[in-house]
Amino acid sequence: MNGPAGPERKGKTGLKDRTGHFGSVVGPFPYSQSQRTRNPGRFFSFSSRKRRPQAGGHFWNSSLCVGGLTLSLSLSLSLSLSLSLSGVGAAMAALQCLDTLRSAHPEMAEWYTSLADLYQKKLWHQLTLKLEQFVAVAVSQAGDLLIQLYHNFITDFETKINLLKLAHFAVIVSRQYSEKQASISYLDGIIEKLQFTREQRVEEPILYIKMQIAMFKLDEEQKGCKKLLEEGKSTLDGMTDIDPSVYASYYWISSQYHKVRKEYAEFYKSALLYLAYTSVESLSDAFKQDLAFDLSLSALLGDNIYNFGELLSHPIIKSLLGTKVEWMYYILEAFNAGDLQLYQELCHVHNAALNVQPGLVENQKKLLEKINILCLMEIIFRYMGSEIFCSFCFLMPIHFFRKTVHLIEGVIDQLEGTVHVSWVQPRVLGIAQVKSVRERLDGWLDKVDTALLSVEAETPDLVAV
């Protein structure tokens, strides 16, 4: 360190101390000692300003800056070289992975060649699109092909592509593991990488991955699944401009959670919301058939579900036609029309198939009550204001109307023998029901025209004025 403050030392010793103190740190100086003695300012090439020596005769600040600058440049060059070599090594490893997979799966050689070409050209967007197509084809392949592809190829550029697409790839890869815990650990690692990127919209891919983790926990850890669903709902409520795939992922896991717990109404709502964010054409025939049957069953057994028109108008329900469970489609139509007689006929014809479904067997009484209520709602819709409607209502027991709370509002006057209905729960109308509405409107217009002609005939003076 600097000596005590005092007069500046002169002579050879002073010059040596002044200029050579930090020389040993970075090696010999670019000038000889005599040159530094004659013109010490030339040594500090980054500044032409000559510094006044501090007490003790040492140029501590100048020498430190020079040593630090030289050391910084040296470390920077070393780091750049190290990163460059590391990048080259990773690229070679990624291409080697594709070569290995090409040899193991010659039937997919063209795919691997295309992936390698796009990777070498660093066309990340095009590479992402090609990977989507490849994964859709390779997902049916047995073994750990996708796991190898991700760990040995995709990891080299995973943060350079769209992060939500990365989440899509990661979820598909996670399903290839034989053990659920290994899948969860893998996805947890992906979440950590996404959080490290600190991107603005990183919540979307993270939520998408967490929903898959919730799916893995559904069978053995329902509390953990429920917690992730609650957190996911909170995250969705706080976000805007969300990708449909994220919504679809949340509502699908939510529907499966309610299905396991036999919460029919909640499953029905979540499954319909899932379909609202999913293209039916992208689903397989087997998947559509299973989902259509589950939706139909939950609509029949779910509490407070009296609107079957929305489900019947959805294209997925048509997947039941031409299958062994086609009878379910016709039962839905009977409920939607409030046709009690048709329902009883279907139960008789398909008795064996119905008995296989424990939910339908256990809730026969509930189903009968529901279709009776729907029958009343249909009669109100068709015969409102007619004597047929009033007569039918007085044949029904009073306690039956208690079950129509929040479905029908009105007043029954037993003394006058009248029924006044002020409101009926809105429903999605089918084609036949829409035609019925049109016929009623046409009849109403005819009555208005008749009344107008009658008024004109009886009061010609008023009409003339």
Side-chain angles (χ1 to χ4, degrees):
M1 299 299 292
N2 289 351
E8 181 180 350
R9 292 179 290 175
K10 299 181 179 180
K12 296 182 179 180
T13 304
L15 291 173
K16 181 179 180 181
D17 291 340
R18 188 191 317 169
T19 58
H21 189 77
F22 283 95
S24 60
V25 177
V26 295
F29 289 119
Y31 299 102
S32 65
Q33 182 172 331
S34 60
Q35 289 176 311
R36 294 196 301 270
T37 303
R38 292 193 302 270
N39 191 1
R42 288 186 57 193
F43 172 68
F44 303 101
S45 57
F46 58 87
S47 175
S48 60
R49 178 183 173 186
K50 297 182 180 179
R51 297 179 180 270
R52 183 176 180 181
Q54 299 178 359
H58 301 290
F59 282 85
W60 282 96
N61 293 338
S62 300
S63 299
L64 177 61
C65 290
V66 173
L69 178 62
T70 308
L71 179 60
S72 175
L73 290 173
S74 177
L75 291 176
S76 177
L77 289 173
S78 299
L79 181 60
S80 298
L81 181 60
S82 176
L83 291 174
S84 178
L85 292 175
S86 175
V88 172
M92 292 179 63
L95 294 173
Q96 181 62 40
C97 167
L98 294 179
D99 289 338
T100 303
L101 292 174
R102 186 187 295 110
S103 300
H105 305 276
E107 71 281 2
M108 306 181 75
E110 292 184 5
W111 285 99
Y112 294 118
T113 301
S114 299
L115 291 174
D117 182 57
L118 294 172
Y119 172 76
Q120 289 176 308
K121 294 179 180 178
K122 298 184 179 181
L123 299 175
W124 306 126
H125 176 68
Q126 291 83 347
L127 179 58
T128 303
L129 298 179
K130 181 62 68 173
L131 275 172
E132 280 188 303
Q133 299 171 6
F134 174 78
V135 169
V137 174
V139 69
S140 60
Q141 295 283 333
D144 60 349
L145 185 153
L146 291 179
I147 296 176
Q148 292 184 39
L149 182 71
Y150 186 90
H151 288 291
N152 299 315
F153 179 64
I154 298 179
T155 50
D156 184 54
F157 56 90
E158 57 188 353
T159 58
K160 298 176 183 178
I161 63 176
N162 183 285
L163 296 184
L164 184 56
K165 296 295 184 183
L166 172 64
H168 291 172
F169 296 149
V171 165
I172 295 174
V173 172
S174 69
R175 297 170 185 162
Q176 307 300 310
Y177 285 91
S178 58
E179 297 182 2
K180 290 183 178 180
Q181 191 55 49
S183 300
I184 293 174
S185 299
Y186 162 72
L187 291 177
D188 285 335
I190 300 299
I191 291 176
E192 290 180 2
K193 292 180 180 179
L194 290 171
Q195 291 172 336
F196 184 75
T197 62
R198 299 181 181 179
E199 293 286 341
Q200 292 182 351
R201 297 187 60 83
V202 75
E203 295 86 358
E204 274 187 304
I206 290 178
L207 177 57
Y208 186 86
I209 292 176
K210 283 186 176 181
M211 290 303 97
Q212 183 59 44
I213 294 176
M215 190 66 181
F216 286 133
K217 293 185 176 182
L218 180 59
D219 295 331
E220 301 174 0
E221 194 180 342
Q222 288 188 14
K223 290 184 177 179
C225 177
K226 182 180 179 181
K227 182 180 179 181
L228 287 171
L229 284 172
E230 291 173 348
E231 292 175 353
K233 178 61 175 175
S234 177
T235 303
L236 284 175
D237 291 341
M239 296 171 61
T240 58
D241 193 23
I242 304 172
D243 190 86
S245 66
V246 179
Y247 272 122
S249 175
Y250 170 78
Y251 286 117
W252 174 249
I253 306 305
S254 178
S255 69
Q256 297 308 294
Y257 173 78
H258 295 305
K259 179 181 177 180
V260 170
R261 297 175 60 84
K262 294 184 178 181
E263 297 170 344
Y264 299 110
E266 289 76 9
F267 168 83
Y268 181 76
K269 295 174 184 176
S270 296
L272 281 181
L273 285 169
Y274 162 74
L275 290 174
Y277 293 99
T278 305
S279 173
V280 178
E281 290 75 15
S282 65
L283 306 176
S284 66
D285 292 339
F287 183 90
K288 287 189 288 187
Q289 181 180 327
D290 292 341
L291 181 55
F293 186 85
D294 289 342
L295 276 167
S296 303
L297 191 64
S298 62
L300 294 173
L301 301 178
D303 295 332
N304 301 319
I305 298 179
Y306 294 91
N307 187 356
F308 295 85
E310 184 177 6
L311 179 58
L312 286 170
S313 63
H314 199 284
I316 195 172
I317 203 68
K318 302 298 182 183
S319 60
L320 294 176
L321 299 176
T323 66
K324 295 180 180 180
V325 291
E326 186 177 18
W327 52 268
M328 178 63 83
Y329 176 83
Y330 298 115
I331 287 181
L332 282 179
E333 285 195 324
F335 270 75
N336 187 56
D339 194 332
L340 179 59
Q341 182 178 356
L342 177 59
Y343 170 66
Q344 291 174 336
E345 292 176 359
L346 290 170
C347 288
H348 177 72
V349 173
H350 301 285
N351 183 59
L354 289 168
N355 287 331
V356 177
Q357 301 296 327
L360 297 178
V361 175
E362 296 169 2
N363 294 277
Q364 289 184 19
K365 183 179 179 181
K366 181 178 179 180
L367 290 170
L368 190 59
E369 290 177 350
K370 178 176 280 193
I371 196 169
N372 273 297
I373 292 174
L374 288 166
C375 182
L376 174 60
M377 295 174 69
E378 186 65 21
I379 289 174
I380 294 173
F381 177 76
R382 290 186 181 181
Y383 305 108
M384 177 63 70
S386 66
E387 293 181 1
I388 297 175
F389 168 67
C390 294
S391 301
F392 174 82
C393 288
F394 279 102
L395 291 174
M396 306 282 294
I398 295 298
H399 68 82
F400 175 79
F401 289 94
R402 297 173 184 171
K403 299 175 183 178
T404 63
V405 177
H406 306 305
L407 295 175
I408 302 171
E409 294 179 2
V411 177
I412 300 177
D413 191 335
Q414 291 182 306
L415 294 177
E416 296 291 334
T418 59
V419 177
H420 299 278
V421 177
S422 58
W423 180 84
V424 179
Q425 185 188 64
R427 295 191 296 162
V428 176
L429 302 180
I431 299 298
Q433 292 168 320
V434 171
K435 289 181 178 178
S436 176
V437 172
R438 180 181 176 179
E439 291 172 359
R440 290 174 60 186
L441 288 174
D442 290 340
W444 177 77
L445 289 173
D446 292 339
K447 290 180 181 180
V448 171
D449 291 338
T450 302
L452 177 60
L453 293 174
S454 176
V455 171
E456 289 177 348
E458 295 179 2
T459 57
D461 296 336
L462 293 175
V463 173
V465 174

